[in-house]
Amino acid sequence: LESAKQVFHELDQMPDVKAVFYGEGLVQAMAKHYVPKPIGKGKAKIGFSKPVLISPEYRDLSAQLHRENLAYGVGGSRHAQTVLKLAESLKTKNILDYGCGKGLLGRGIPWQIAEYDPAIPGKEESPKPADIVVCTDVLEHIEPDRLLFVLNDLRRCVTQVGYFTIHTGPAQKSYADGRNTHLIQKPRAWWEAKLKKFFTVAKIFEVGPELYIIVGPR
């Protein structure tokens, strides 16, 4: 009942929105008698929530490795030409580097792109969707129990094309707690099954232990 009441509380915050309810149920029955409540100018508050994508402990370990190892999180530059070709084919400059590390992809793009990385100060704010979402050498680093949350957030961000790379084997680096930085080490079939739950998987190229993946919205 409380959840049903909240529907109309949210509608009160959006006086310019007209909602139509289909079918039969508690909310539909309550909607028949719903009268919007006026709100004062500038008082509308719309918010959203999402699962925590990274634990505080793991964020601290990742941030520590970024600070102490200059060679960690610097692989973005090698994908710049591929991303530029995608941008040219889609006629867009709206690009998000999801898990940007030290931001080397952005340095290889001749215009400013959006960057997100929860372990990098100033880059930790939840990103806006983009035409092209680049997520390279990131997903294998995600905590296994948070992977589905991260994939769902990536789905939110990808409006046209996602360009992902995933390493399927162990890394040469370790965190301060001794764990290999590739927390998830799974083969192509495993990753493909996970990705298909959230995206249309267009192509997967397998080069040694690396997967190069092109996805689109489902």
Side-chain angles (χ1 to χ4, degrees):
L1 176 59
E2 188 59 35
S3 296
K5 290 179 179 178
Q6 287 299 316
V7 171
F8 303 101
H9 169 74
E10 296 296 332
L11 287 177
D12 286 340
Q13 311 303 310
M14 302 181 287
D16 296 329
V17 173
K18 181 181 179 181
V20 180
F21 297 93
Y22 295 90
E24 297 180 357
L26 177 59
V27 173
Q28 291 87 335
M30 294 172 67
K32 295 177 182 178
H33 306 287
Y34 167 63
V35 177
K37 297 177 181 178
I39 59 173
K41 185 177 180 181
K43 291 185 179 180
K45 295 182 179 179
I46 303 297
F48 73 95
S49 64
K50 67 179 184 181
V52 177
L53 304 181
I54 184 172
S55 68
E57 297 79 13
Y58 184 53
R59 182 184 60 239
D60 292 344
L61 284 171
S62 297
Q64 178 182 350
L65 191 56
H66 274 292
R67 291 192 304 269
E68 296 177 352
N69 192 324
L70 297 179
Y72 184 64
V74 298
S77 58
R78 66 191 180 101
H79 302 288
Q81 291 304 310
T82 300
V83 174
L84 285 172
K85 290 179 181 178
L86 283 171
E88 182 180 2
S89 66
L90 294 174
K91 295 180 172 53
T92 184
K93 293 184 176 181
N94 185 13
I95 300 171
L96 166 64
D97 187 0
Y98 192 105
C100 62
K102 291 185 171 67
L104 267 66
L105 173 64
R107 298 180 195 178
I109 304 295
W111 61 82
Q112 187 173 6
I113 67 173
E115 295 179 326
Y116 165 71
D117 196 313
I120 303 296
K123 305 293 184 182
E124 64 269 50
E125 292 297 325
S126 185
K128 296 179 180 179
D131 293 336
I132 299 174
V133 176
V134 182
C135 184
T136 56
D137 306 313
V138 172
L139 292 173
E140 63 269 36
H141 294 272
I142 302 301
E143 294 163 284
D145 62 342
R146 316 230 175 191
L147 178 62
L148 296 184
F149 297 154
V150 172
L151 289 176
N152 193 47
D153 195 47
L154 275 168
R155 173 170 59 181
R156 175 186 66 82
C157 292
V158 174
T159 62
Q160 292 195 51
V161 170
Y163 171 65
F164 305 160
T165 68
I166 302 171
H167 198 291
T168 59
Q172 296 179 353
K173 303 178 183 68
S174 298
Y175 294 113
D177 64 358
R179 284 183 294 174
N180 190 273
T181 59
H182 290 176
L183 300 184
I184 303 177
Q185 299 174 28
K186 297 291 184 179
R188 169 179 174 165
W190 189 91
W191 280 108
E192 187 171 2
K194 294 291 184 185
L195 292 171
K196 283 184 175 180
K197 294 179 180 180
F198 298 90
F199 305 97
T200 298
V201 178
K203 293 181 180 179
I204 298 181
F205 302 96
E206 193 166 4
V207 181
E210 287 190 293
L211 305 177
Y212 294 78
I213 307 165
I214 300 294
V215 304
R218 285 192 64 177

